Amino acid sequence: MYELVGFDPPHQSDTRTIYIANRFPQHGHYVPQKFADNRIISSKYTVWNFIPKNLFEQFRRVANFYFLIIFLVQLMIDTPTSPITSGLPLFFVITVTAIKQGYEDWLRHKADNEVNGAPVYVVRSGGLVKTRSKNIRVGDIVRVAKDETFPVDLVLLSSDRVDGSCHVTTASLDGETNLKTHVAVPETAVLQSVANLDKLVAVIECQQPEADLYRFVGRITISQQTEEIVRPLGPESLLLRGARLKNTKEIFGVAVYTGMETKMALNYKSKSQKRSAVEKSMNSFLIIYLIILLFEAILSTILKYAWQAEEKWDEPWYNEKTEHERNSSKILRFISDFLAFLVLYNFIIPISLYVTVEMQKFLGSFFIGWDLDLYHEETNQRAQVNTSDLNEELGQVEYVFTDKTGTLTENEMQFRECSINGIKYQEVNGKLTPEGFSEDSPDGNRHSLMKEEELFLKAVCLCHTVQINADQTDGADGPWHASGIASPLEYYASSPDEKALVEAASRVGVVFTGTSEDSMEVKSLGKPERYKLLHVLEFDPNRRRMSVIVESPSGEKLLFTKGAESSILPRSKSGEVDKTRIHVDEFALKGLRTLCVAYRRFTSEEYQEISKRLHEARTALQQREERLADVFNFIERDLELLGATGVEDKLQEKVQETIEALRLAGIKVWVLTGDKHETAVSVSLSCGHFHRTMNILELVQHKSDSTCAEQLRQLAKRIKEDHVIQHGLVVDGTSLSLALREHEKLFMEVCKNCSAVLCCRMAPLQKAKVVRLLKTSPEKPITLAIGDGANDVSMIQEAHVGIGIMGKEGRQAVRNSDYAIARFKFLSKLLFVHGHFYYIRIATLVQYFFYKNVCFITPQFLYQFFCLFSQQTLYDSVYLTLYNICFTSLPVLIYSLFEQHVHPHVLQSKPVLYRDISKNAHLGFKPFLYWTILGFFHAFVFFYGSYLLMGEDTSLLGNGQMFGNWTFGTLVFTVMVITVTMKMALETHFWTWINHFVTWGSIVFYFIFSLFYGGIIWPFLHTQDMYFVFVQLLSSGSAWFAIILIVVACLFLDVVKKVLYRHLQPTSTEKAQLTEAGSGINCLDSMCCFSDGETACTSVRRMLERLMGRCSPTRVNRCGISLNSLCCRRFSYKLEPDEPAAIDV
């Protein structure tokens, strides 16, 4: 079993031999090949390896490994704190993460078991046997019924149709929703019963498994009495696992690839783990804090030995050394002391940071799915989060790479114009009308077609892969009613273009009515005609065309070809080539998608030759693709041009506004498309990607390195000379390949100086290469790729953030993306609101964690100066353990989920605010330094404030007792818990009742816990140093005065700094907050505020909508309670025309 997904399994030979129904030869010493079973394994762990494998993965994290080392040190040597202080938080973090990962893997196991245990029918011993999917073996004959998915990769043997054909959809594999036709070889197509199939004696030889979905090379040898018949097998014979059978009652096929060797399994691309910029910053900060920790530990150890150089301090009367201590090695003692100090200060590294960040990302991702602004009502689709690890990266995007068709456009094609024999036509009332000609004839009279028009429309109706719903191909009258009006046939097509063209032809009188056996049926103005389909020359991206060879009713052999103008016009020797080229360019300038149509007549000798060549190429086991390409090129020459078509793909709603908003936010937009140059430029202009005032530079149609380099230099020169105006760059696929080969640096320089870049005629891998080029450039910008089709997957996976559009080209892009949305316009809300919020939240979360741990551990370090560096701890072990887990964890977590420092409406209406957070502005070195210095400052105030105010006051306590070590430590700890919690409150702009509950609740919980912990003698505790300490501390008025004074002293400077900066150097965001506060509209629903007739549950729903930016001012107006107190924060935004002038909340 090959569990390494994404890799081809090792095989000894290049081909595999499969005996159908596992009838192995009886003579000779035959050794059957070993094949994988049919189990699919997508899970990561098993019951046996979960604990060791999961622990190994978790301890690869620096912080987890560090705390494990500290815990082991505490177990091995005499340290000042209990091993529990490190072990318990570590155990908590490891357990929470393991439960989360274990649950996710259990879901994968559950899904695997469902797939592997699915019932299937296999032909064995002359009958159909029901078994489980995992029991299918290579060579088994499997029966699949309509609308079922194929459980293995099968070679089609027969179907319920006489010609052995069937239709399948491969949307789950390549994202294409069209019906594809697959055919069996004639000798097996007639075997439609189980009894006949059980008698079949045949052998299949084919290539070993590979990931390419569209490549399959093999042959089948069928033994019939004394002769052996050899037939070629290609992709048209292979039914892939995961595809679904459509419009066919049942099929029989032989299993050739099973389990993890199926093409679907080999395409489980193990995506490289994407890491956000915040995570990288976090790791950098962690290393800096490790250095601080080591410095403090080394300094403390050196100072201890410097202090002990004096004899009276080396061995004071109250702490005499044992004989063993006197005789022990000084080096060992130094190492032991260093490790002890390391343990004492180890909490400067925040172990709970990772688990809090994971919880924040996981819980925060639900808000995207819940956001009704990202819900598309027509298709009933919500936004989808596939990778919550990148939430904050949405707030850091600098480049957007977008596909055109289906992403910027609707992917709904409508026939607009065509050119036939050099004359332009438009469709008017179901008739083809030459340009400038008005048709006033009544609709009942059928417009007669000229010979050239009819031939053109027949070519359109015959040269395609369109299928018709099986239920519609029958009927006495066929597709024409008595009135002569075409009934609506339901077409399924490999592309929306083909469907639009066939439907247009049917409207103007030439109707494709379906296929039967090896024929295609057409009705021309109601007159049925049958064309025998001889060969199909499939479309491929290199040729950019497809062809069919048919035999007309008169017996004439004809080739019809359709494809891009660049692949058809050079091969046309006759027809109105020049006029058609002009018309194609005109269509493209209007933003239409263009195709050219041509044909060729064959003599019987020519046809015999090409038929022979095709058979030889298709039966070849070696280099079959190359041979077929040569034959196709040989056939598709000397064409006679018939004309060209122009199909329109409408722009999606609000595309222009979204692109303009991205530009205002400082994000550069690149459009990467496979369309021709003129079409792409036209759409770019119409969607606002290019402006009319923009200077359009072109790098197109270059065939050599030298011309490409020269053009690049000229473009760079023009940009420098005209640096005032904006530039747009157009580059095609071939020129791009040349530019990236030798002149990458120059090309990047030109691109970066352009406001917008359009790449046309792009192959899927070229799209990914362009993204990688920008991603790895010296500036290392954050990239986002957005697309809807299978051809966008490589680009989506390559970018830092990949977004799939839930379009009409299946779900391949969506499944491989990090986020999925239904429309391109939703991108602005996703980036400007969700991205902005997530980044601000997590940036504050990370830096606050480091800040509160500096506050926590620095007094411990300062205390050593007052205890001869004896490693005496300032805090009790329970406080050490619970500080990060209980006392200070919830306020920052709730902040990181709910914080909205600016109203969502303001963020979306002012994209320029996005610039304030770009380039990791809030997690750079300066903010980090500020938070670290603030942490040290507060720690000094905690410690020395407590010492100066109370350290010398021996009669502090109400009963006259002296002020002890634990009382001092508890006072410092109390001041610290209150200060760091209040600091989080100062950072919070958006208050809900949840924020109030956890903020003030954390402080209250600390006091209640300390009273219970110190007020009761707990029998299970070995020592209880804290007994009655907290109660006595709170009984002192001086202590209360000190707590209030120190907390105010800490936070006063912070408040002053915020006020000064806000008024003297306000950022755009702070200005927006002032605008928001001054506009007089308060827009907030809270869970403690709901109007008459509404239940509390309704208000909960409204609060969730509010948190996602779904604010309804009119509904808030009905609430007559003032919420300017603890319930909520005052929020407002600029008036919209349809909103009330004042809202009282």
Side-chain angles (χ1 to χ4, degrees):
M1 193 69 226
Y2 306 107
E3 296 184 24
L4 285 174
V5 175
F7 293 94
D8 287 355
H11 296 285
Q12 292 179 347
S13 65
D14 293 334
T15 60
R16 57 170 54 188
T17 305
I18 299 154
Y19 291 86
I20 294 179
N22 290 305
R23 289 195 178 84
F24 301 116
Q26 301 299 315
H27 56 277
H29 301 284
Y30 173 72
V31 180
Q33 288 176 285
K34 289 186 178 179
F35 304 118
D37 61 26
N38 199 37
R39 283 180 303 152
I40 287 288
I41 300 173
S42 63
S43 54
K44 199 173 181 181
Y45 308 106
T46 64
V47 175
W48 311 109
N49 72 11
F50 174 71
I51 291 175
K53 196 171 180 181
N54 187 263
L55 287 178
F56 173 74
E57 286 178 354
Q58 290 209 56
F59 284 119
R60 286 164 68 184
R61 279 185 168 171
V62 177
N64 290 350
F65 184 71
Y66 160 77
F67 269 86
L68 177 65
I69 297 297
I70 293 292
F71 177 64
L72 295 174
V73 167
Q74 286 178 293
L75 289 175
M76 289 188 291
I77 67 168
D78 183 23
T79 56
T81 56
S82 163
I84 293 172
T85 58
S86 293
L88 193 63
L90 179 66
F91 177 76
F92 173 75
V93 169
I94 295 294
T95 305
V96 168
T97 309
I99 290 169
K100 174 180 172 281
Q101 293 178 350
Y103 173 70
E104 288 173 350
D105 204 61
W106 175 74
L107 291 177
R108 285 192 286 265
H109 269 284
K110 194 176 173 185
D112 287 348
N113 291 338
E114 196 176 318
V115 170
N116 295 330
V120 293
Y121 287 92
V122 178
V123 176
R124 284 181 187 157
S125 306
L128 272 180
V129 178
K130 188 177 181 180
T131 183
R132 291 174 183 268
S133 173
K134 64 182 179 183
N135 298 329
I136 297 174
R137 299 169 297 171
V138 171
D140 280 345
I141 298 175
V142 182
R143 191 203 76 172
V144 179
K146 184 181 178 182
D147 291 327
E148 289 181 355
T149 57
F150 300 115
V152 289
D153 286 353
L154 300 164
V155 164
L156 179 61
L157 293 178
S158 65
S159 72
D160 63 321
R161 301 183 182 192
V162 181
D163 61 352
S165 66
C166 70
H167 302 307
V168 304
T169 61
T170 56
S172 61
L173 295 169
D174 58 10
E176 293 181 8
T177 53
N178 60 291
L179 285 185
K180 293 186 172 73
T181 304
H182 291 257
V183 290
V185 297
E187 287 73 21
T188 62
V190 295
L191 307 174
Q192 294 180 308
S193 67
V194 173
N196 288 335
L197 282 165
D198 195 50
K199 296 172 187 173
L200 175 65
V201 179
V203 179
I204 291 175
E205 292 174 88
C206 62
Q207 62 189 151
Q208 293 290 9
E210 66 172 23
D212 190 342
L213 294 174
Y214 310 105
R215 188 170 185 270
F216 178 68
V217 178
R219 64 183 172 210
I220 182 169
T221 307
I222 304 150
S223 301
Q224 288 187 346
Q225 294 155 0
T226 56
E227 65 171 336
E228 288 188 346
I229 300 168
V230 179
R231 294 287 183 190
L233 298 174
E236 71 284 348
S237 306
L238 188 68
L239 305 171
L240 301 177
R241 178 175 190 143
R244 190 179 292 274
L245 185 65
K246 289 283 185 185
N247 283 8
T248 312
K249 187 180 175 184
E250 67 174 13
I251 63 99
F252 289 94
V254 59
V256 288
Y257 304 129
T258 49
M260 300 307 288
E261 292 185 343
T262 57
K263 288 183 181 287
M264 183 180 81
L266 295 175
N267 271 280
Y268 289 159
K269 187 180 177 186
S270 45
K271 290 197 284 186
S272 57
Q273 188 64 36
K274 293 182 179 180
R275 291 171 66 223
S276 70
V278 169
E279 194 177 333
K280 292 168 188 171
S281 298
M282 226 160 71
N283 292 338
S284 305
F285 298 160
L286 212 60
I287 291 166
I288 292 170
Y289 271 64
L290 272 172
I291 293 167
I292 294 172
L293 170 66
L294 291 170
F295 171 75
E296 288 185 349
I298 292 168
L299 181 65
S300 298
T301 312
I302 292 169
L303 289 173
K304 176 179 181 177
Y305 282 91
W307 210 302
Q308 288 179 355
E310 291 185 46
E311 196 171 329
K312 63 174 182 176
W313 297 123
D314 183 35
E315 195 174 344
W317 60 269
Y318 56 82
N319 190 19
E320 291 186 2
K321 292 180 181 178
T322 62
E323 195 64 34
H324 175 71
E325 286 174 334
R326 288 194 188 99
N327 297 330
S328 63
S329 163
K330 285 186 178 180
I331 295 172
L332 287 176
R333 266 188 295 160
F334 186 90
I335 293 169
S336 177
D337 282 326
F338 168 71
L339 290 173
F341 280 118
L342 209 62
V343 167
L344 191 66
Y345 305 146
N346 78 83
F347 283 95
I348 198 170
I349 306 296
I351 186 173
S352 54
L353 173 61
Y354 279 115
V355 75
T356 308
V357 166
E358 278 201 17
M359 287 172 70
Q360 189 267 348
K361 288 183 175 184
F362 175 70
L363 295 172
S365 63
F366 286 105
F367 288 106
I368 292 176
W370 289 339
D371 191 343
L372 296 180
D373 278 341
L374 302 182
Y375 168 71
H376 192 243
E377 200 168 349
E378 290 173 29
T379 54
N380 190 29
Q381 289 169 329
R382 291 176 178 267
Q384 189 176 308
V385 180
N386 299 328
T387 311
S388 61
D389 291 343
L390 301 170
N391 292 344
E392 66 279 2
E393 205 81 328
L394 292 168
Q396 293 297 294
V397 174
E398 294 171 62
Y399 282 87
V400 166
F401 298 92
T402 174
D403 176 42
K404 184 182 74 66
T405 307
T407 305
L408 300 179
T409 62
E410 289 283 4
N411 204 10
E412 279 184 4
M413 307 301 174
Q414 289 185 327
F415 175 79
R416 286 286 176 247
E417 294 182 68
C418 67
S419 169
I420 304 173
N421 200 30
I423 301 170
K424 273 205 286 188
Y425 290 81
Q426 291 178 330
E427 184 189 350
V428 179
N429 297 327
K431 302 181 182 71
L432 269 186
T433 308
E435 191 176 45
F437 179 81
S438 88
E439 180 64 67
D440 298 323
S441 60
D443 291 337
N445 297 333
R446 183 150 297 282
H447 173 62
S448 60
L449 295 169
M450 291 191 293
K451 185 183 175 185
E452 293 86 355
E453 295 171 352
E454 189 175 1
L455 185 60
F456 174 84
L457 292 171
K458 283 180 181 175
V460 167
C461 280
L462 293 170
C463 185
H464 57 69
T465 55
V466 174
Q467 301 296 330
I468 296 177
N469 191 329
D471 302 330
Q472 292 186 302
T473 54
D474 303 322
D477 296 329
W480 290 87
H481 291 312
S483 63
I485 300 171
S487 65
L489 285 171
E490 189 179 354
Y491 292 114
Y492 297 94
S494 60
S495 75
D497 300 71
E498 284 194 335
K499 185 180 177 186
L501 291 174
V502 173
E503 285 175 342
S506 71
R507 289 195 299 271
V508 297
V510 180
V511 185
F512 169 64
T513 57
T515 57
S516 61
E517 298 181 9
D518 59 350
S519 297
M520 299 179 80
E521 294 176 3
V522 173
K523 284 193 176 180
S524 180
L525 300 179
K527 178 187 170 187
E529 294 179 9
R530 177 171 291 195
Y531 289 81
K532 186 177 181 183
L533 183 61
L534 302 173
H535 297 285
V536 177
L537 281 55
E538 298 83 2
F539 174 87
D540 71 64
N542 297 321
R543 283 167 47 244
R544 300 188 69 82
R545 59 185 179 272
M546 77 155 287
S547 303
V548 292
I549 300 175
V550 296
E551 184 179 322
S552 69
S554 61
E556 208 175 6
K557 307 288 192 302
L558 299 171
L559 168 82
F560 288 113
T561 303
K562 176 184 70 182
E565 89 291 341
S566 58
S567 66
I568 299 291
L569 297 182
R571 295 178 165 271
S572 302
K573 69 168 186 178
S574 59
E576 297 289 346
V577 177
D578 294 333
K579 285 184 180 178
T580 305
R581 183 179 279 114
I582 293 167
H583 290 166
V584 166
D585 291 341
E586 287 174 5
F587 294 163
L589 286 170
K590 294 177 184 176
L592 304 182
R593 293 164 64 90
T594 59
L595 287 172
C596 287
V597 182
Y599 84 113
R600 179 185 174 186
R601 300 174 194 272
F602 293 121
T603 62
S604 57
E605 293 80 14
E606 285 175 332
Y607 176 72
Q608 291 299 325
E609 184 185 356
I610 63 168
S611 185
K612 182 185 173 186
R613 284 197 181 198
L614 275 172
H615 181 73
E616 287 173 355
R618 282 182 166 147
T619 52
L621 275 181
Q622 303 297 327
Q623 297 180 322
R624 182 182 290 182
E625 285 87 355
E626 292 84 348
R627 292 189 185 186
L628 279 173
D630 291 340
V631 176
F632 287 175
N633 283 327
F634 174 75
I635 297 169
E636 296 166 329
R637 60 192 176 90
D638 300 335
L639 302 174
E640 187 172 335
L641 187 63
L642 290 172
T645 60
V647 175
E648 183 186 28
D649 190 3
K650 285 186 178 177
L651 278 179
Q652 283 188 21
E653 186 188 2
K654 292 191 177 176
V655 165
Q656 192 164 355
E657 293 91 330
T658 305
I659 289 176
E660 186 56 37
L662 291 171
R663 189 176 283 119
L664 286 172
I667 298 170
K668 289 192 175 181
V669 181
W670 287 34
V671 175
L672 312 180
T673 178
D675 271 354
K676 74 187 297 285
H677 170 206
E678 291 82 3
T679 306
V681 170
S682 176
V683 173
S684 275
L685 285 165
S686 62
C687 73
H689 179 235
F690 283 168
H691 287 302
R692 297 285 172 188
T693 56
M694 200 178 271
N695 183 19
I696 308 295
L697 308 174
E698 292 191 347
L699 183 70
V700 293
Q701 295 179 346
H702 287 284
K703 305 293 183 188
S704 68
D705 275 342
S706 56
T707 58
C708 183
E710 181 58 34
Q711 179 68 6
L712 277 170
R713 289 188 201 99
Q714 287 180 11
L715 294 178
K717 188 179 176 184
R718 281 183 65 185
I719 290 170
K720 283 179 184 174
E721 289 170 355
D722 305 332
H723 62 277
V724 179
I725 60 173
Q726 287 188 323
H727 299 278
L729 176 68
V730 183
V731 56
D732 62 9
T734 53
S735 302
L736 181 74
S737 299
L738 294 170
L740 297 185
R741 194 183 303 163
E742 298 287 340
H743 317 289
E744 193 174 289
K745 194 174 177 182
L746 185 60
F747 175 70
M748 284 303 301
E749 186 187 330
V750 171
C751 288
K752 285 178 182 175
N753 288 317
C754 291
S755 304
V757 178
L758 168 64
C759 300
C760 52
R761 292 296 194 208
M762 297 282 283
L765 286 176
Q766 277 185 314
K767 291 184 178 184
K769 199 170 181 181
V770 169
V771 175
R772 193 183 310 122
L773 184 68
L774 259 293
K775 188 175 148 185
T776 56
S777 63
E779 294 83 8
K780 295 201 168 12
I782 303 299
T783 58
L784 179 147
I786 179 168
D788 72 319
N791 60 331
D792 301 315
V793 169
S794 54
M795 159 175 96
I796 285 169
Q797 290 183 344
E798 184 62 49
H800 290 96
V801 181
I803 296 184
I805 296 282
M806 302 170 191
K808 296 178 173 61
E809 293 192 27
R811 288 289 179 272
Q812 188 82 335
V814 169
R815 281 199 310 276
N816 285 279
S817 64
D818 304 307
Y819 302 89
I821 51 179
R823 284 291 181 270
F824 183 80
K825 67 177 179 178
F826 295 153
L827 187 62
S828 60
K829 177 84 185 272
L830 194 64
L831 298 186
F832 303 153
V833 179
H834 290 286
H836 200 118
F837 283 156
Y838 285 133
Y839 177 73
I840 291 290
R841 290 166 184 170
I842 204 161
T844 308
L845 165 72
V846 169
Q847 295 183 116
Y848 176 77
F849 252 93
F850 285 108
Y851 153 79
K852 71 186 179 79
N853 278 41
V854 168
C855 290
F856 181 39
I857 226 64
T858 304
Q860 186 92 278
F861 171 69
L862 297 173
Y863 186 59
Q864 296 309 302
F865 287 88
F866 293 84
C867 67
L868 287 179
F869 294 92
S870 60
Q871 296 146 14
Q872 169 64 36
T873 179
L874 180 62
Y875 316 119
D876 182 69
S877 291
V878 171
Y879 285 159
L880 280 170
T881 306
L882 297 183
Y883 175 74
N884 276 319
I885 294 177
C886 296
F887 300 144
T888 60
S889 59
L890 278 179
V892 68
L893 178 62
I894 296 303
Y895 168 92
S896 67
L897 289 174
F898 295 152
E899 173 63 0
Q900 294 184 14
H901 63 306
V902 183
H903 193 277
H905 180 85
V906 176
L907 285 176
Q908 199 164 0
S909 61
K910 294 185 176 179
V912 72
L913 297 181
Y914 193 81
R915 293 173 185 250
D916 279 3
I917 61 167
S918 62
K919 298 189 184 295
N920 208 11
H922 288 253
L923 260 181
F925 186 70
K926 280 186 180 178
F928 167 70
L929 196 62
Y930 165 72
W931 279 91
T932 302
I933 292 170
L934 186 70
F936 278 115
F937 168 71
H938 283 182
F940 273 80
V941 176
F942 299 155
F943 185 83
Y944 286 109
S946 301
Y947 180 75
L948 292 172
L949 287 171
M950 317 188 67
E952 303 300 326
D953 190 350
T954 52
S955 61
L956 166 73
L957 302 176
N959 58 7
Q961 287 183 349
M962 288 179 67
F963 194 86
N965 166 52
W966 293 113
T967 314
F968 177 72
T970 305
L971 176 63
V972 173
F973 192 83
T974 304
V975 169
M976 179 171 56
V977 168
I978 295 171
T979 305
V980 298
T981 307
M982 291 296 292
K983 172 63 181 167
M984 189 76 263
L986 277 177
E987 292 299 315
T988 304
H989 295 85
F990 179 59
W991 284 90
T992 65
W993 69 265
I994 304 173
N995 294 77
H996 285 291
F997 179 76
V998 297
T999 301
W1000 316 122
S1002 292
I1003 296 172
V1004 171
F1005 172 75
Y1006 163 70
F1007 277 89
I1008 293 171
F1009 173 84
S1010 297
L1011 286 170
F1012 272 92
Y1013 172 57
I1016 300 171
I1017 296 175
W1018 300 97
F1020 53 83
L1021 291 177
H1022 180 59
T1023 59
Q1024 200 158 348
D1025 299 321
M1026 296 298 293
Y1027 180 66
F1028 231 62
V1029 168
F1030 196 72
V1031 177
Q1032 286 185 330
L1033 179 68
L1034 297 188
S1035 69
S1036 165
S1038 304
W1040 283 104
F1041 174 74
I1043 289 169
I1044 293 167
L1045 191 64
I1046 294 167
V1047 170
V1048 170
C1050 281
L1051 298 176
F1052 177 72
L1053 286 176
D1054 204 37
V1055 173
V1056 169
K1057 180 249 176 193
K1058 278 180 176 290
V1059 170
L1060 287 175
Y1061 266 82
R1062 182 175 284 268
H1063 284 84
L1064 298 176
Q1065 287 184 322
T1067 62
S1068 302
T1069 305
E1070 286 165 347
K1071 288 175 185 174
Q1073 288 171 340
L1074 292 170
T1075 307
E1076 176 192 339
S1079 62
I1081 300 176
N1082 194 319
C1083 180
L1084 173 71
D1085 284 339
S1086 175
M1087 287 177 71
C1088 57
C1089 170
F1090 49 95
S1091 51
D1092 297 338
E1094 286 188 342
T1095 64
C1097 290
T1098 309
S1099 77
V1100 173
R1101 177 182 59 77
R1102 289 195 290 111
M1103 192 208 74
L1104 285 173
E1105 288 181 359
R1106 169 67 189 88
L1107 291 172
M1108 297 178 291
R1110 294 288 295 179
C1111 190
S1112 174
T1114 52
R1115 187 161 57 223
V1116 182
N1117 194 34
R1118 297 197 302 269
C1119 179
I1121 304 170
S1122 173
L1123 296 179
N1124 294 329
S1125 57
L1126 295 180
C1127 176
C1128 59
R1129 178 212 166 196
R1130 188 170 178 80
F1131 253 127
S1132 55
Y1133 58 81
K1134 286 187 176 179
L1135 271 173
E1136 293 297 323
D1138 59 341
E1139 290 176 349
I1143 297 176
D1144 300 321
V1145 181

